[in-house]
Amino acid sequence: MPPQKPVDLGPLDAVAFLCEVAMVVLLVLAGHGFVDGWRGWAAGVFLALVAIGIWAQWMAPTSVRRLELPTRLVVQIMLFLTTALYAAAGGLLWPGLVFAVVAITVFVALSRQDA
């Protein structure tokens, strides 16, 4: 397989990656807020794995099934809002709201760059 041309990544791409990581961490913590003990951690890990699966299938740059814009942006926004709702339900209202606002802003800006 021939080597692929390197892609220029900017600071907005780095913030987008941090938002993706924050989504996973927030879902694990939100799951732990639902139930104490190992069941809470298990619920959080389950939520995070579902989000990772959705992201890997339809949003990852290397995915064969990557959605086209603007559909991809709509699904990303729905995923971020769902994460914020789970965070609020798990007792993390303000971190969930901050995450949703930052992530949606970053990914809208990225979609405008790609368009």
Side-chain angles (χ1 to χ4, degrees):
M1 181 178 237
Q4 294 181 352
K5 178 183 170 190
V7 178
D8 289 334
L9 298 176
L12 200 55
D13 295 306
V15 175
F17 178 72
L18 290 176
C19 287
E20 295 167 24
V21 172
M23 176 176 61
V24 172
V25 170
L26 196 57
L27 285 169
V28 170
L29 294 175
H32 185 260
F34 295 148
V35 183
D36 289 331
W38 68 271
R39 288 184 181 108
W41 291 114
V45 168
F46 175 75
L47 291 173
L49 288 175
V50 169
I52 290 169
I54 291 170
W55 199 272
Q57 279 292 319
W58 295 302
M59 266 75 80
T62 57
S63 174
V64 177
R65 296 179 184 92
R66 187 175 195 204
L67 297 173
E68 297 294 323
L69 288 173
T71 307
R72 183 172 68 237
L73 179 63
V74 170
V75 174
Q76 287 169 336
I77 290 172
M78 289 180 355
L79 190 58
F80 297 148
L81 290 175
T82 302
T83 300
L85 289 173
Y86 273 115
L92 301 169
L93 175 64
W94 290 110
L97 288 175
V98 169
F99 163 77
V101 169
V102 171
I104 290 170
T105 303
V106 167
F107 280 87
V108 165
L110 273 177
S111 71
R112 288 186 179 179
Q113 275 184 353
D114 292 344

XYZ file of all heavy atoms in Angstrom:
867
model
N 0.844 -1.167 0.000
C 0.000 0.000 0.000
C 0.890 1.231 0.000
O 1.761 1.372 0.854
C -0.888 -0.055 1.231
C -1.794 1.099 1.273
S -2.809 1.048 2.549
C -3.854 1.027 3.330
N 0.675 2.160 -0.932
C 1.521 3.356 -0.988
C 1.250 4.267 0.193
O 0.137 4.319 0.713
C 1.105 4.030 -2.303
C -0.243 3.500 -2.598
C -0.329 2.128 -1.984
N 2.276 5.003 0.624
C 2.060 5.922 1.751
C 1.104 7.040 1.357
O 1.099 7.502 0.225
C 3.457 6.466 2.054
C 4.259 6.194 0.834
C 3.633 5.031 0.126
N 0.285 7.420 2.329
C -0.680 8.475 2.072
C -0.047 9.837 2.319
O 0.876 9.977 3.105
C -1.896 8.304 2.980
C -2.672 7.046 2.673
C -3.873 6.912 3.573
O -4.059 7.677 4.516
N -4.710 5.930 3.301
N -0.580 10.820 1.615
C -0.109 12.188 1.787
C -0.487 12.668 3.184
O -1.625 12.494 3.623
C -0.778 13.066 0.729
C -0.410 14.513 0.811
C -1.169 15.313 -0.220
C -0.980 16.780 0.048
N -1.860 17.596 -0.769
N 0.456 13.263 3.927
C 0.121 13.751 5.271
C -0.911 14.873 5.208
O -0.916 15.681 4.290
C 1.449 14.262 5.826
C 2.422 14.230 4.721
C 1.827 13.496 3.564
N -1.765 14.883 6.194
C -2.823 15.893 6.281
C -2.369 16.976 7.243
O -1.850 16.696 8.317
C -4.128 15.245 6.782
C -5.224 16.272 6.920
C -4.548 14.133 5.853
N -2.556 18.223 6.839
C -2.219 19.339 7.726
C -3.284 19.448 8.817
O -4.463 19.581 8.532
C -2.154 20.654 6.951
C -0.947 20.719 6.034
O 0.050 20.043 6.328
O -1.013 21.449 5.034
N -2.832 19.376 10.045
C -3.737 19.506 11.184
C -3.443 20.809 11.900
O -2.293 21.130 12.165
C -3.562 18.333 12.144
C -3.870 16.949 11.578
C -3.554 15.876 12.603
C -5.309 16.857 11.136
N -4.482 21.544 12.201
C -4.317 22.826 12.871
C -4.756 22.754 14.319
O -5.144 21.699 14.839
N -4.731 23.893 14.987
C -5.133 23.937 16.394
C -6.606 23.559 16.600
O -6.954 22.963 17.610
C -4.889 25.380 16.809
C -4.340 26.095 15.640
C -4.247 25.151 14.493
N -7.443 23.876 15.625
C -8.859 23.526 15.749
C -9.045 22.010 15.720
O -9.900 21.466 16.432
C -9.653 24.178 14.613
C -11.147 24.331 14.818
C -11.454 25.090 16.095
C -11.766 25.027 13.630
N -8.219 21.314 14.949
C -8.269 19.852 14.922
C -7.846 19.271 16.268
O -8.399 18.268 16.713
C -7.367 19.309 13.808
C -7.867 19.707 12.435
O -9.043 19.428 12.133
O -7.087 20.309 11.674
N -6.870 19.890 16.906
C -6.423 19.427 18.227
C -7.532 19.616 19.257
O -7.778 18.728 20.088
C -5.160 20.172 18.652
N -8.208 20.748 19.202
C -9.316 20.991 20.137
C -10.458 20.017 19.859
O -11.099 19.516 20.789
C -9.793 22.456 20.051
C -11.009 22.694 20.921
C -8.672 23.406 20.437
N -10.695 19.703 18.586
C -11.730 18.735 18.237
C -11.406 17.365 18.820
O -12.285 16.680 19.352
C -11.882 18.651 16.723
N -10.139 16.961 18.738
C -9.738 15.682 19.323
C -9.934 15.689 20.835
O -10.412 14.707 21.409
C -8.287 15.362 18.969
C -7.799 14.089 19.581
C -8.250 12.869 19.120
C -6.913 14.115 20.647
C -7.813 11.680 19.698
C -6.473 12.943 21.224
C -6.924 11.721 20.753
N -9.591 16.801 21.476
C -9.801 16.913 22.921
C -11.289 16.842 23.272
O -11.656 16.284 24.312
C -9.181 18.198 23.458
C -7.651 18.235 23.463
C -7.163 19.602 23.924
C -7.087 17.139 24.338
N -12.139 17.382 22.405
C -13.584 17.290 22.628
C -14.049 15.836 22.539
O -14.902 15.401 23.320
C -14.345 18.132 21.608
S -14.220 19.901 21.879
N -13.484 15.085 21.598
C -13.839 13.675 21.473
C -13.437 12.901 22.733
O -14.207 12.074 23.239
C -13.166 13.070 20.249
C -13.639 13.668 18.943
C -12.742 13.289 17.774
O -12.056 12.251 17.847
O -12.730 14.033 16.785
N -12.243 13.172 23.231
C -11.769 12.511 24.451
C -12.631 12.940 25.636
O -13.012 12.107 26.475
C -10.278 12.823 24.693
C -9.822 12.314 26.046
C -9.422 12.238 23.577
N -12.957 14.226 25.703
C -13.797 14.729 26.799
C -15.174 14.078 26.781
O -15.750 13.811 27.844
C -13.919 16.243 26.704
N -15.697 13.802 25.592
C -17.001 13.152 25.491
C -16.950 11.768 26.142
O -17.834 11.410 26.921
C -17.418 13.027 24.023
C -18.702 12.286 23.808
S -19.245 12.246 22.090
C -17.899 11.393 21.297
N -15.900 11.015 25.856
C -15.766 9.673 26.425
C -15.633 9.748 27.948
O -16.307 9.016 28.683
C -14.570 8.939 25.778
C -14.286 7.630 26.487
C -14.820 8.710 24.297
N -14.782 10.642 28.424
C -14.574 10.779 29.873
C -15.869 11.218 30.553
O -16.248 10.687 31.610
C -13.425 11.773 30.157
C -13.346 12.115 31.634
C -12.107 11.222 29.649
N -16.550 12.172 29.965
C -17.797 12.673 30.552
C -18.856 11.578 30.615
O -19.603 11.484 31.600
C -18.291 13.870 29.739
C -19.335 14.766 30.356
C -18.858 15.323 31.696
C -19.659 15.905 29.419
N -18.928 10.731 29.606
C -19.902 9.647 29.624
C -19.576 8.622 30.710
O -20.484 8.106 31.374
C -19.983 8.979 28.251
C -20.740 9.785 27.201
C -20.547 9.173 25.818
C -22.213 9.895 27.543
N -18.304 8.324 30.892
C -17.926 7.390 31.966
C -18.296 7.980 33.321
O -18.880 7.297 34.176
C -16.423 7.045 31.896
C -15.984 6.287 33.137
C -16.113 6.242 30.644
N -17.991 9.246 33.533
C -18.319 9.891 34.807
C -19.826 10.018 35.002
O -20.329 9.879 36.125
C -17.647 11.259 34.895
C -16.118 11.247 34.949
C -15.576 12.664 34.908
C -15.626 10.502 36.174
N -20.551 10.279 33.927
C -22.010 10.381 34.028
C -22.606 9.036 34.406
O -23.511 8.968 35.244
C -22.594 10.857 32.704
N -22.107 7.974 33.826
C -22.597 6.642 34.180
C -22.355 6.330 35.637
O -23.203 5.732 36.307
N -21.216 6.759 36.142
C -20.926 6.541 37.558
C -21.867 7.369 38.441
O -22.156 6.989 39.572
C -19.471 6.879 37.881
C -19.102 6.563 39.282
N -19.048 7.516 40.266
C -18.817 5.383 39.884
C -18.722 6.949 41.401
N -18.572 5.653 41.206
N -22.354 8.477 37.921
C -23.306 9.290 38.677
C -24.681 8.657 38.771
O -25.479 9.008 39.640
N -24.991 7.699 37.881
C -26.289 7.032 37.916
C -26.394 6.055 39.084
O -27.412 5.971 39.752
C -26.560 6.265 36.620
C -26.691 7.138 35.407
C -26.280 6.681 34.178
C -27.224 8.408 35.479
C -26.396 7.464 33.053
C -27.349 9.208 34.364
C -26.933 8.730 33.141
N -25.327 5.279 39.296
C -25.330 4.207 40.288
C -23.976 4.200 40.973
O -22.956 4.427 40.331
C -25.559 2.828 39.612
C -25.646 1.731 40.648
C -26.791 2.828 38.738
N -23.953 3.918 42.272
C -22.680 3.823 42.988
C -22.009 2.483 42.721
O -22.653 1.501 42.354
C -22.903 3.989 44.494
C -23.274 5.410 44.862
O -22.852 6.323 44.134
O -23.971 5.595 45.872
N -20.714 2.475 42.916
C -19.958 1.230 42.830
C -19.634 0.817 41.409
O -19.634 1.626 40.481
N -19.387 -0.468 41.254
C -18.928 -0.977 39.968
C -20.003 -0.892 38.899
O -19.705 -0.787 37.716
C -18.422 -2.414 40.101
C -19.492 -3.416 40.422
C -19.924 -3.802 41.643
C -20.270 -4.136 39.471
N -20.924 -4.724 41.526
C -21.159 -4.960 40.201
C -20.322 -4.174 38.085
C -22.080 -5.804 39.586
C -21.229 -5.013 37.464
C -22.091 -5.818 38.212
N -21.280 -0.922 39.309
C -22.360 -0.830 38.313
C -22.364 0.532 37.622
O -22.654 0.634 36.436
C -23.693 -1.105 38.977
C -23.875 -2.539 39.351
C -25.276 -2.771 39.911
N -25.439 -4.155 40.288
C -25.499 -4.588 41.527
N -25.426 -3.735 42.532
N -25.644 -5.862 41.786
N -22.048 1.566 38.382
C -21.969 2.897 37.791
C -20.828 3.006 36.790
O -20.983 3.583 35.712
N -19.678 2.448 37.166
C -18.546 2.463 36.228
C -18.875 1.643 34.984
O -18.532 2.033 33.864
C -17.279 1.940 36.894
C -16.754 2.851 37.940
C -16.681 2.604 39.275
C -16.240 4.179 37.768
N -16.154 3.689 39.936
C -15.875 4.668 39.027
C -16.063 4.997 36.660
C -15.331 5.934 39.223
C -15.527 6.261 36.845
C -15.167 6.722 38.110
N -19.550 0.511 35.173
C -19.924 -0.328 34.036
C -20.898 0.412 33.115
O -20.776 0.346 31.888
C -20.527 -1.643 34.516
N -21.865 1.105 33.706
C -22.808 1.880 32.900
C -22.083 2.982 32.133
O -22.356 3.214 30.946
C -23.899 2.490 33.788
N -21.146 3.657 32.794
C -20.388 4.706 32.133
C -19.527 4.183 31.004
O -19.459 4.788 29.920
N -18.875 3.055 31.230
C -18.048 2.463 30.177
C -18.926 2.032 29.005
O -18.558 2.208 27.838
C -17.220 1.279 30.729
C -16.585 0.474 29.623
C -16.158 1.802 31.697
N -20.104 1.476 29.306
C -21.026 1.090 28.235
C -21.428 2.304 27.395
O -21.409 2.249 26.159
C -22.266 0.410 28.804
C -23.303 0.108 27.774
C -23.130 -0.943 26.888
C -24.447 0.886 27.675
C -24.083 -1.211 25.913
C -25.402 0.628 26.710
C -25.224 -0.427 25.827
N -21.804 3.402 28.058
C -22.179 4.617 27.323
C -21.022 5.121 26.458
O -21.214 5.516 25.306
C -22.604 5.711 28.305
C -23.909 5.506 29.057
C -24.090 6.594 30.101
C -25.069 5.475 28.094
N -19.814 5.096 27.021
C -18.640 5.555 26.276
C -18.374 4.654 25.078
O -18.039 5.150 23.985
C -17.427 5.603 27.191
N -18.519 3.350 25.241
C -18.282 2.435 24.121
C -19.309 2.616 23.003
O -18.970 2.508 21.821
C -18.275 0.988 24.616
C -17.049 0.580 25.432
C -17.210 -0.831 25.959
C -15.780 0.717 24.616
N -20.545 2.911 23.373
C -21.564 3.186 22.352
C -21.189 4.443 21.568
O -21.253 4.464 20.328
C -22.965 3.327 22.989
C -23.967 3.875 21.989
C -23.434 1.992 23.536
N -20.765 5.485 22.279
C -20.361 6.726 21.603
C -19.143 6.491 20.708
O -19.082 7.003 19.587
C -20.069 7.810 22.632
N -18.181 5.717 21.186
C -16.991 5.409 20.390
C -17.388 4.634 19.136
O -16.875 4.893 18.038
C -15.961 4.617 21.228
C -15.348 5.530 22.287
C -14.874 4.019 20.340
C -14.531 4.786 23.336
N -18.306 3.686 19.278
C -18.765 2.916 18.121
C -19.450 3.784 17.083
O -19.202 3.645 15.882
N -20.313 4.677 17.538
C -20.984 5.599 16.609
C -19.954 6.474 15.904
O -20.011 6.668 14.691
C -22.027 6.454 17.368
C -23.187 5.585 17.822
C -22.517 7.620 16.503
C -24.136 6.269 18.784
N -19.009 6.995 16.688
C -17.987 7.874 16.110
C -17.125 7.125 15.099
O -16.830 7.631 14.020
C -17.116 8.467 17.215
C -16.388 9.673 16.746
C -15.172 9.719 16.139
C -16.850 11.018 16.805
N -14.842 11.009 15.823
C -15.868 11.824 16.228
C -18.010 11.613 17.303
C -15.993 13.204 16.118
C -18.126 12.987 17.200
C -17.129 13.764 16.619
N -16.721 5.915 15.441
C -15.849 5.138 14.562
C -16.556 4.770 13.259
O -15.918 4.741 12.197
C -15.380 3.876 15.277
N -17.847 4.500 13.321
C -18.579 4.104 12.124
C -18.855 5.267 11.181
O -18.686 5.125 9.971
C -19.933 3.488 12.512
C -19.857 2.064 12.923
C -19.487 1.148 11.778
O -19.965 1.305 10.661
N -18.638 0.197 12.062
N -19.292 6.398 11.729
C -19.841 7.431 10.861
C -19.138 8.777 10.896
O -19.443 9.644 10.066
C -21.321 7.630 11.183
C -22.112 6.411 10.866
C -22.204 5.791 9.656
C -22.920 5.648 11.753
N -23.003 4.695 9.747
C -23.462 4.586 11.033
C -23.228 5.763 13.102
C -24.308 3.646 11.594
C -24.064 4.822 13.666
C -24.601 3.782 12.913
N -18.202 8.990 11.832
C -17.564 10.295 11.898
C -16.051 10.263 11.725
O -15.461 11.287 11.380
C -17.874 10.968 13.238
C -19.059 11.882 13.234
S -20.646 11.109 13.217
C -20.929 10.636 14.860
N -15.419 9.156 11.984
C -13.956 9.091 11.919
C -13.468 9.361 10.496
O -14.057 8.872 9.528
C -13.471 7.720 12.369
N -12.396 10.144 10.363
C -11.882 10.481 9.023
C -11.468 9.260 8.203
O -11.524 9.298 6.983
C -10.666 11.359 9.306
C -10.880 11.891 10.673
C -11.675 10.859 11.414
N -11.078 8.172 8.852
C -10.641 6.990 8.117
C -11.750 5.967 7.908
O -11.505 4.900 7.345
C -9.474 6.308 8.867
O -9.903 5.993 10.190
C -8.266 7.228 8.929
N -12.965 6.271 8.349
C -14.069 5.327 8.226
C -14.541 5.207 6.783
O -14.657 6.208 6.065
C -15.240 5.771 9.099
O -16.358 4.937 8.878
N -14.831 3.985 6.370
C -15.364 3.738 5.038
C -16.793 4.263 4.936
O -17.229 4.692 3.873
C -15.325 2.221 4.731
C -15.941 1.898 3.390
C -13.906 1.703 4.811
N -17.509 4.259 6.051
C -18.908 4.685 6.084
C -19.078 6.115 6.583
O -20.148 6.473 7.067
C -19.694 3.738 6.989
C -19.749 2.331 6.479
C -20.524 1.455 7.436
N -20.515 0.085 7.020
C -19.612 -0.809 7.413
N -18.660 -0.466 8.255
N -19.666 -2.038 6.981
N -18.068 6.932 6.478
C -18.137 8.303 7.000
C -19.264 9.074 6.318
O -19.400 9.060 5.094
C -16.807 9.025 6.761
C -16.752 10.370 7.423
C -15.397 11.005 7.271
N -15.264 12.102 8.206
C -14.442 13.108 8.043
N -13.626 13.137 7.008
N -14.392 14.060 8.938
N -20.058 9.729 7.131
C -21.167 10.525 6.611
C -20.639 11.781 5.931
O -19.602 12.319 6.303
C -22.114 10.907 7.747
C -22.810 9.749 8.468
C -23.572 10.275 9.677
C -23.730 9.007 7.529
N -21.390 12.252 4.974
C -21.041 13.498 4.292
C -21.627 14.674 5.068
O -22.598 14.538 5.794
C -21.605 13.495 2.864
C -21.039 12.399 1.986
C -19.560 12.574 1.715
O -19.112 13.724 1.559
O -18.851 11.550 1.664
N -20.990 15.825 4.898
C -21.543 17.049 5.475
C -22.793 17.403 4.702
O -22.843 17.165 3.507
C -20.523 18.192 5.384
C -19.326 18.084 6.324
C -18.331 19.177 6.016
C -19.751 18.164 7.770
N -23.825 17.919 5.247
C -24.059 18.370 6.614
C -24.628 17.282 7.526
O -24.805 17.529 8.715
C -25.061 19.497 6.444
C -25.883 19.085 5.281
C -24.917 18.357 4.359
N -24.896 16.091 6.980
C -25.457 15.022 7.802
C -24.532 14.673 8.954
O -24.987 14.459 10.089
C -25.719 13.771 6.941
O -26.510 14.146 5.814
C -26.419 12.697 7.736
N -23.218 14.613 8.683
C -22.254 14.290 9.730
C -22.313 15.314 10.855
O -22.287 14.963 12.034
C -20.848 14.203 9.147
C -19.809 13.793 10.177
C -18.450 13.529 9.552
N -17.841 14.746 9.040
C -17.452 14.929 7.777
N -17.603 13.987 6.889
N -16.899 16.065 7.406
N -22.412 16.587 10.527
C -22.480 17.635 11.542
C -23.743 17.491 12.392
O -23.685 17.647 13.619
C -22.415 19.024 10.902
C -22.493 20.189 11.876
C -21.299 20.170 12.829
C -22.558 21.502 11.113
N -24.861 17.172 11.763
C -26.113 16.996 12.509
C -25.988 15.836 13.489
O -26.380 15.945 14.660
C -27.296 16.781 11.535
C -28.549 16.366 12.282
C -27.546 18.034 10.717
N -25.400 14.725 13.051
C -25.234 13.564 13.933
C -24.256 13.895 15.061
O -24.460 13.501 16.213
C -24.788 12.327 13.125
C -24.466 11.163 14.047
C -25.859 11.937 12.127
N -23.196 14.633 14.767
C -22.247 15.041 15.804
C -22.936 15.913 16.852
O -22.756 15.699 18.056
C -21.066 15.792 15.188
C -20.123 14.909 14.427
C -19.113 15.694 13.605
O -19.338 16.844 13.243
N -18.002 15.047 13.287
N -23.709 16.868 16.410
C -24.415 17.748 17.347
C -25.386 16.940 18.202
O -25.471 17.143 19.424
C -25.135 18.887 16.593
C -24.103 19.859 16.020
C -26.126 19.610 17.496
C -24.671 20.911 15.090
N -26.090 15.989 17.597
C -27.000 15.148 18.380
C -26.238 14.319 19.405
O -26.694 14.156 20.540
C -27.807 14.240 17.444
C -28.831 14.995 16.634
S -29.872 14.050 15.488
C -29.311 12.417 15.520
N -25.071 13.816 19.025
C -24.257 13.037 19.961
C -23.750 13.907 21.109
O -23.747 13.488 22.268
C -23.085 12.392 19.208
C -22.266 11.351 19.947
C -23.130 10.203 20.424
C -21.171 10.830 19.038
N -23.347 15.138 20.805
C -22.865 16.045 21.848
C -24.000 16.434 22.793
O -23.807 16.499 24.012
C -22.238 17.296 21.236
C -21.023 17.018 20.397
C -20.738 17.805 19.304
C -20.161 15.967 20.697
C -19.615 17.559 18.536
C -19.043 15.717 19.926
C -18.766 16.516 18.836
N -25.181 16.693 22.251
C -26.320 17.044 23.106
C -26.754 15.859 23.962
O -27.107 16.028 25.137
C -27.484 17.543 22.251
C -27.281 18.901 21.590
C -28.454 19.235 20.677
C -27.074 19.986 22.627
N -26.705 14.661 23.402
C -27.032 13.464 24.173
C -26.032 13.268 25.307
O -26.408 12.920 26.432
C -27.050 12.231 23.256
O -28.000 12.456 22.209
C -27.422 10.978 24.018
N -24.762 13.495 25.025
C -23.739 13.406 26.064
C -24.011 14.412 27.175
O -23.895 14.096 28.361
C -22.336 13.637 25.462
O -22.097 12.633 24.476
C -21.262 13.583 26.515
N -24.381 15.632 26.798
C -24.685 16.659 27.794
C -25.897 16.264 28.636
O -25.911 16.489 29.856
C -24.923 18.003 27.111
N -26.901 15.659 28.016
C -28.073 15.217 28.763
C -27.725 14.087 29.728
O -28.190 14.073 30.876
C -29.181 14.773 27.803
C -29.859 15.889 27.019
C -30.813 15.310 25.984
C -30.589 16.833 27.955
N -26.918 13.134 29.276
C -26.476 12.065 30.186
C -25.652 12.640 31.334
O -25.777 12.211 32.475
C -25.658 11.011 29.437
C -26.501 9.927 28.814
C -26.558 9.773 27.438
C -27.231 9.048 29.603
C -27.324 8.776 26.861
C -28.002 8.047 29.040
C -28.041 7.918 27.667
O -28.808 6.941 27.108
N -24.791 13.607 31.026
C -23.978 14.230 32.069
C -24.874 14.927 33.093
O -24.661 14.808 34.307
C -22.983 15.212 31.456
N -25.879 15.655 32.617
C -26.795 16.341 33.533
C -27.561 15.339 34.388
O -27.746 15.545 35.594
C -27.759 17.219 32.738
N -27.979 14.239 33.774
C -28.702 13.215 34.533
C -27.799 12.537 35.555
O -28.279 12.077 36.600
C -29.279 12.175 33.576
N -26.505 12.507 35.283
C -25.551 11.907 36.214
C -25.012 12.879 37.240
O -24.070 12.563 37.962
N -25.566 14.095 37.283
C -25.144 15.068 38.283
C -24.047 16.009 37.827
O -23.463 16.717 38.637
N -23.762 16.023 36.544
C -22.698 16.888 36.006
C -23.298 17.910 35.037
O -22.923 17.986 33.873
C -21.653 16.025 35.273
C -20.979 14.949 36.117
C -20.189 14.002 35.243
C -20.090 15.584 37.163
N -24.224 18.714 35.559
C -24.945 19.658 34.705
C -24.001 20.653 34.030
O -24.006 20.784 32.807
C -26.003 20.414 35.516
C -26.750 21.510 34.760
C -27.560 20.913 33.631
C -27.623 22.301 35.701
N -23.198 21.367 34.803
C -22.356 22.416 34.226
C -21.248 21.860 33.330
O -21.021 22.397 32.240
C -21.807 23.331 35.309
C -22.904 24.171 35.881
C -23.446 24.071 37.128
C -23.645 25.187 35.207
N -24.474 24.966 37.274
C -24.620 25.680 36.097
C -23.599 25.723 33.933
C -25.517 26.676 35.762
C -24.493 26.731 33.600
C -25.436 27.191 34.513
N -20.557 20.800 33.724
C -19.580 20.234 32.782
C -20.234 19.758 31.481
O -19.666 19.908 30.396
C -18.965 19.061 33.547
C -19.144 19.403 34.984
C -20.439 20.160 35.046
N -21.443 19.218 31.570
C -22.152 18.780 30.370
C -22.514 19.930 29.460
O -22.349 19.850 28.235
N -22.987 21.027 30.059
C -23.346 22.199 29.251
C -22.115 22.836 28.600
O -22.148 23.194 27.413
C -24.076 23.227 30.113
C -25.498 22.867 30.533
C -26.050 23.929 31.477
C -26.391 22.702 29.325
N -21.056 22.962 29.376
C -19.822 23.534 28.825
C -19.296 22.657 27.705
O -18.897 23.149 26.634
C -18.757 23.726 29.934
C -17.404 24.062 29.342
C -19.204 24.791 30.913
N -19.298 21.346 27.909
C -18.846 20.426 26.869
C -19.655 20.603 25.592
O -19.105 20.696 24.500
C -18.944 18.967 27.341
C -18.888 18.000 26.210
C -17.679 17.701 25.604
C -20.043 17.415 25.723
C -17.621 16.837 24.524
C -20.001 16.538 24.652
C -18.785 16.252 24.051
N -20.986 20.636 25.719
C -21.851 20.737 24.540
C -21.592 22.025 23.769
O -21.462 22.009 22.540
C -23.317 20.643 24.941
N -21.482 23.128 24.475
C -21.267 24.417 23.805
C -19.915 24.428 23.089
O -19.823 24.815 21.911
C -21.372 25.583 24.816
C -20.882 26.881 24.211
C -22.798 25.716 25.320
N -18.866 23.994 23.780
C -17.529 24.010 23.174
C -17.455 23.046 21.999
O -16.977 23.395 20.914
C -16.450 23.680 24.233
C -15.097 23.465 23.592
C -16.377 24.789 25.273
N -17.948 21.819 22.186
C -17.851 20.811 21.125
C -18.653 21.221 19.895
O -18.164 21.099 18.763
C -18.320 19.459 21.647
N -19.856 21.710 20.088
C -20.668 22.119 18.941
C -20.010 23.281 18.218
O -19.945 23.303 16.984
C -22.101 22.463 19.394
C -22.821 21.175 19.815
C -22.875 23.175 18.288
C -24.154 21.395 20.503
N -19.489 24.237 18.962
C -18.808 25.381 18.335
C -17.605 24.927 17.515
O -17.417 25.363 16.376
C -18.362 26.386 19.417
O -19.505 26.791 20.174
C -17.695 27.592 18.802
N -16.802 24.042 18.083
C -15.595 23.577 17.385
C -15.958 22.808 16.122
O -15.376 23.026 15.055
C -14.733 22.713 18.333
C -13.657 21.957 17.578
C -14.115 23.579 19.415
N -16.924 21.917 16.208
C -17.245 21.092 15.053
C -18.017 21.861 13.981
O -17.897 21.536 12.795
C -17.958 19.808 15.486
C -16.991 18.781 15.984
C -16.606 18.764 17.310
C -16.415 17.874 15.123
C -15.685 17.837 17.771
C -15.498 16.946 15.569
C -15.129 16.935 16.896
N -18.764 22.881 14.358
C -19.378 23.754 13.342
C -18.272 24.516 12.605
O -18.298 24.632 11.377
C -20.408 24.711 13.985
C -20.773 25.838 13.042
C -21.645 23.946 14.416
N -17.289 25.018 13.353
C -16.160 25.720 12.709
C -15.390 24.777 11.793
O -14.977 25.167 10.693
C -15.251 26.315 13.773
N -15.163 23.548 12.218
C -14.457 22.578 11.377
C -15.261 22.252 10.115
O -14.679 22.104 9.037
C -14.190 21.288 12.140
C -12.930 21.228 12.956
C -12.850 19.892 13.703
C -11.707 21.422 12.109
N -16.564 22.143 10.252
C -17.375 21.835 9.072
C -17.366 22.990 8.072
O -17.430 22.764 6.868
C -18.808 21.493 9.469
O -19.493 22.634 9.907
N -17.264 24.198 8.567
C -17.161 25.344 7.654
C -15.820 25.351 6.928
O -15.727 25.787 5.787
C -17.360 26.644 8.417
C -18.786 26.830 8.840
C -19.012 28.172 9.464
N -20.425 28.288 9.836
C -20.926 29.334 10.425
N -20.159 30.360 10.709
N -22.185 29.369 10.722
N -14.763 24.867 7.599
C -13.463 24.754 6.942
C -13.503 23.708 5.841
O -12.913 23.885 4.782
C -12.385 24.336 7.939
C -11.768 25.465 8.712
C -10.635 24.950 9.601
O -10.402 23.760 9.731
N -9.938 25.874 10.208
N -14.179 22.597 6.118
C -14.227 21.489 5.162
C -15.134 21.776 3.973
O -14.996 21.149 2.932
C -14.697 20.207 5.856
C -13.675 19.697 6.851
O -12.515 20.150 6.786
O -14.048 18.856 7.687
N -16.093 22.665 4.147
C -17.054 22.939 3.065
C -16.459 23.739 1.945
O -15.445 24.256 1.884
C -18.249 23.667 3.628
